[in-house]
Structure formats: structure tokens, C-alpha cells
Amino acid sequence: MKARETLGALAAGLLFGVGLIVSGMTDPAKVLAFLDFAGAWDPSLALVMAGAIAVAHIGFRATGRLAREGRADGRLILGSVLFGLGWGLAGYCPGPVVVAAGALSPAALVMLPALLAGLWITERWLARGAARDQSK
Amino acid sequence: MTVDWQVFTPWSALAGGLLIGAAAALLVWSAGRIAGISGILAGFARRDGFSAWRIAFVAGLLAAPWLVGALAPQWPLVGTHWSAADYPRLIVAGLLVGIGTRLANGCTSGHGVCGLARLSLRSLWAVAVFMGTAGLVVFAVRHVPGAGA
């Protein structure tokens, strides 16, 4: 069970990374060209998502993991605004920045530590808040 | 909105998308986990977060360019969009992406690919907001005189 989990995750990570490279999403210029709706628009990212969602949907349906989560809240919206600001500035979201760092892209190697710092500070801060709520 | 047919790569985009979707399906089938990159990376902030599946998945992501480089040396890997003068912008962007995706519980993969594939309404909101915001940033930088960097 453990071996299947670990080997499956390794293969999934490889496949995910290869997919990002094949689709061109590890090149920030291509991502920014998608986000530039008013300029010379490159729709590629929409096709990446359509293909990925279609296949992943089959997987989630087959494993009984379709969504049961509730509604959007303020934290989700605020977080998505902050993420959108950073994504629009850099053209890198978390997956591509990790893969590009693996390829030793200097820009990705500069951005990844800042991204991890942001993630980990926020994760610790949220965990502390949750612990405080429990002790009340 | 004008499509730039010179740079639009429909077939490689679709093929890459299918691989990403297959990866998400493989991870949920083999490990029962959702392929959300920001959530997986955030796990390393917890003492119990260094589990084998998480380390293996990130190792796969890091190794992917080496696999592509070995199989198809001509395939472009990461582009050369940013130079050293842009590093301050990338650091600010990294902090925003890190804080934002943790607050929102997901990024382009967790909400965009997996969430939408799971038919999650929360994820649809997240995608609309982060894509809309990112579009506004690019609009300001590229089309508003004086706002660009």
C-alpha cells in the first residue's frame, strides 16, 4: 500500500511536470500572453485546463472524490485576489515555478523561496489560529 | 480580444493538459490525494508533513524537465522571459502567490484543475477571482500608460 502510494505519487509528479512543459505553461511569457486578454491573446492555457479537467474528472468520479465542500467565503476570495496579483506580476503559479526550478531557471529559483516563505508563514499562522480556537 | 495565431499552440496545449489530468487521476487513485501543488508544498511547514508521497510527488515535478531533456532535447523547457532586473518583482510575486494560495486553499492546480474537475463551486469562485485579478494586473502593466514596470 505504502509502495503504491509513493511510486504512484512519483509517477504523478513526473507526469504532471511533463504535462506542464509540453503545454508550454513553464514559460511565463506564454502564461502572461493568455492573461493579456486585451492584447495579442494566446488561448493555449484554456485548452490546457479543458484537457486536464476532462481527464481528471473521470479519475475523481471513478474514485468517488467529487466535491462535497461548502460555499466560497471571504478567506477564499481574499486569498484568490492575492494569488491573482502575484500570478499576473510573474506569470508563474506554484506548479510551473517548481518545475522551472527543477530545470534550474534563475527566475524560478529566485521566486520559489519567496513563494515557499509565503506559504509556510501563512500555514503556521493559520495553524496557530486553529489551535487558539480549540483551546477556548 | 484578438487571438494571436502565431503563438497559439492548440495541440501541445491540449496534449499537455491531458497529461496533467492523467497525473491528477493517478495521484487520487494511488495515494488518495488531490494534486494541488500549493497545498502539497504547504504540507512541508508541518512537522508531520514530510510524508513519502509528498516528497515523491515534488521529486517527480523537479525531475520532469530532466526527463523531457533526455527524451526530446529540442523541446523548449522554461523560456527566458525574466532577467536579473526583474528579480524584485518575482520576489514580491512569490510572496503574494504563497500567502494567497494558502489562504484560498488552492492554486491553478488545486482549484483550477482538480477543483473544477470535482465540480466544486468554491473552486469556480476561486478560479474566476484569481484569473480575473491576474488579467487586470497584466492589463495595467501592458496597456495603462505609466502603470507598467
Side-chain angles (χ1 to χ4, degrees), chain A residues 41-132:
Chain A
W41 190 49
D42 178 358
S44 302
L45 191 146
L47 276 180
V48 180
M49 290 200 47
I53 290 166
V55 177
H57 177 70
I58 299 170
F60 288 122
R61 183 169 284 272
T63 51
R65 293 292 295 268
L66 294 183
R68 280 189 294 268
E69 288 89 354
R71 302 155 52 120
D73 52 22
R75 196 182 117 185
L76 179 100
I77 301 298
L78 172 67
S80 296
V81 168
L82 296 178
F83 168 36
L85 289 174
W87 194 30
L89 277 177
Y92 275 131
C93 50
V97 87
V98 172
V99 176
L104 306 179
S105 147
L109 289 171
V110 167
M111 179 159 162
L112 183 59
L115 192 155
L116 292 174
L119 272 177
W120 292 346
I121 290 165
T122 313
E123 176 78 10
R124 291 272 169 98
W125 180 71
L126 290 172
R128 226 173 39 200
R132 210 170 35 232

Side-chain angles (χ1 to χ4, degrees), chain A residues 8-58:
Chain A
L10 179 66
L14 262 178
L15 205 56
F16 203 106
V18 171
L20 284 172
I21 293 168
V22 167
S23 64
M25 296 300 109
T26 45
D27 182 357
K30 201 154 174 63
V31 174
L32 292 171
F34 169 80
L35 293 170
D36 188 5
F37 300 107
W41 190 49
D42 178 358
S44 302
L45 191 146
L47 276 180
V48 180
M49 290 200 47
I53 290 166
V55 177
H57 177 70
I58 299 170

Side-chain angles (χ1 to χ4, degrees), chain B residues 66-102:
Chain B
W66 300 91
L67 180 67
V68 174
L71 295 178
Q74 303 305 316
W75 195 271
L77 288 179
V78 292
T80 50
H81 188 67
W82 300 118
S83 62
D86 303 305
Y87 289 170
R89 167 204 284 241
L90 291 169
I91 290 170
V92 171
L95 286 169
L96 285 167
V97 171
I99 296 168
T101 52
R102 190 73 306 241

